[in-house]
């Protein structure tokens, strides 16, 4: 039964961000068809942030009418909307209409809003629902959430999204009469399967998440008692996170022991966190989500493309792998020290700063054209995603043990961080154009 619940929790987490992640990895194909072209990512950024209306309403309902809003009803609704939206996207994503005298992909943008509404609202509903299960299933849920980015990325690589080659071409000029000058340009190869098939696969993954949620919601709440001792697991999760009932909490000498006194009131145990520690934790939630969901994804193309298509695709694929791997590590090696998580956040920020610096230097970043440069940028994205993903998981576990409302506000803080990051990057990229794109085949940088 425990293995089954782990599988269901993982499949349930798959539906959290799979739709939006799928849209981002499919963009290299979509932009070649829709009239907005490469302006489309800026539209997506705005639409995703407008979809934060969903988590805002859920958070306000919890605040103004405590206990009135049922997570399972909201989750049924948003997952059903997600399945329907993915199916509609498969049939209507390339339909355009004339708006203000210009051709616009209105169907794609409207359906994208509903998909974003599903994924944004999942941040403040999925985790609170998981509160009903023992703490160990939280990490499994985060593995599923990591897979929501990993699986679409792998599918996109199998589809050969954006794979290109440099092709030589003769470019005659008016000043040359000797046959012209030779130059090269980037030519994108056709995908292995269509965008419609990709969106159908997204709908299948949303269906898997919905089916897993139905099964989890119908499980008897006493199922743990028939397979293992629930009380020690709950108490141990409040301590060090390891199988050590004698661990101390924050060095204050409060010990967890497997005796009758503890077992009689297991749910009264709460992690002893000071106001300053809680403030630091929520600040980490804000910053980590700001960096991973807003700031850095907006410039990944600028930071990697100048090193070539291989570096770009490896960084995207391995960064997607790093998320579920970090969640798996968190399942077996938990460190709840706020100081340790703060240091890990600083380390991940360092890798992110390097990625941002290379994006700012595009189209001529450091060590361009060298194997060392390609390896460094790929590893930097890998460690940036991995370290901050571990922080996300451990913060979620800590707040899960504190209270239901702590998880709700954790989701709200995550969305606020994502909003701040996206709103910050939008004018820098689309208005002030501080980042310059480069064609790897044609860019010549000074040594």
């Amino acid at each position: 039964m425990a293995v089954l619940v782990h599988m269901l929790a993982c499949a349930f987490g798959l539906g959290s961000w799979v739709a939006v992640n799928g849209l981002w990895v499919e963009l290299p194909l979509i932009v070649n068809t829709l009239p907005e072209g490469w302006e489309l990512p800026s539209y997506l950024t705005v639409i995703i942030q407008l979809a934060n209306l969903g988590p805002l309403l859920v958070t306000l309902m919890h605040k103004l009418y405590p206990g009135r809003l049922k997570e399972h009803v909201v989750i049924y609704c948003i997952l059903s909307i997600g399945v329907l939206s993915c199916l509609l996207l498969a049939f209507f994503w390339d339909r355009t209409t004339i708006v203000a005298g210009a051709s616009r992909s209105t169907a794609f943008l409207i359906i994208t809003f509903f998909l974003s509404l599903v994924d944004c609202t999942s941040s403040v509903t999925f985790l609170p629902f998981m509160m009903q299960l023992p703490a160990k299933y939280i990490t499994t849920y985060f593995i599923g959430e990591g897979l929501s980015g990993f699986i679409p990325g792998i599918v996109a690589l199998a589809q050969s999204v954006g794979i290109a080659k440099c092709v030589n071409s003769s470019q005659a000029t008016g000043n040359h009469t000797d046959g012209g000058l030779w130059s090269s340009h980037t030519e994108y190869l056709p995908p292995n399967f269509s965008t419609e098939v990709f969106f159908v696969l997204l709908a299948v993954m949303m269906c898997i998440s919905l089916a897993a949620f139905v099964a989890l919601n119908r499980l008897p709440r006493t199922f743990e008692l028939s397979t293992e001792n629930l009380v020690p697991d709950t108490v141990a999760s409040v301590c060090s996170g390891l199988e050590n009932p004698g661990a101390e909490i924050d060095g204050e000498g409060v010990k967890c022991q497997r005796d009758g006194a503890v077992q009689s009131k297991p749910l009264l145990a709460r992690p002893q966190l000071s106001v300053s520690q809680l403030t630091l934790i929520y600040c980490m939630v804000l910053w980590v989500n700001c960096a991973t969901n807003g700031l850095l994804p907006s410039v990944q193309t600028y930071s990697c493309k100048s090193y070539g298509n291989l570096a770009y695709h490896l960084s995207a694929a391995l960064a997607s792998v790093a998320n579920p791997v970090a969640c798996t590590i968190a399942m077996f090696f938990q460190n709840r020290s706020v100081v340790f998580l703060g240091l890990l956040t600083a380390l991940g920020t360092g890798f992110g700063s390097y990625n941002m610096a290379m994006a700012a230097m595009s189209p001529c970043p450091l060590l361009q054209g060298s194997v060392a440069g390609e390896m460094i940028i790929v590893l930097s994205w890998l460690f940036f995603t991995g370290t901050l993903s571990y922080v996300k998981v451990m913060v979620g576990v800590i707040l899960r043990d504190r209270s239901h409302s702590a998880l709700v506000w954790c989701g709200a803080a995550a969305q606020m961080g994502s909003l701040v990051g996206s709103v910050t990057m939008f004018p820098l990229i689309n208005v002030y154009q501080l980042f310059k794109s480069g064609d790897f085949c044609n860019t010549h940088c000074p040594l």
Side-chain angles (χ1 to χ4, degrees), residues 81 155 172 234 237 369 403 406 419 434:
I81 292 173
V155 174
T234 303
S237 70
S403 69
L419 172 62
L434 297 182

Side-chain angles (χ1 to χ4, degrees), residues 60 70-71 78 106 154-155 218 230 248 259 275 322 352 368 375-376:
L60 288 177
K70 305 300 183 184
E71 269 94 11
I78 63 175
T106 49
I154 294 300
V155 174
R218 293 187 176 182
L230 174 61
E248 295 185 353
D259 54 21
V275 175
Q368 187 195 35
M375 291 179 59
I376 292 173

Side-chain angles (χ1 to χ4, degrees), residues 42-88:
S42 62
Y43 284 91
L44 288 184
T45 302
V46 174
I47 289 174
I48 291 172
Q49 299 314 315
L50 289 176
N52 278 302
L53 177 65
L56 176 62
L57 292 177
V58 171
T59 304
L60 288 177
M61 283 292 293
H62 279 293
K63 181 68 176 178
L64 300 176
Y65 304 100
R68 298 282 292 275
L69 186 66
K70 305 300 183 184
E71 269 94 11
H72 69 279
V73 176
V74 179
I75 294 173
Y76 274 125
C77 292
I78 63 175
L79 285 178
S80 299
I81 292 173
V83 173
L84 180 60
S85 297
C86 288
L87 290 175
L88 290 175

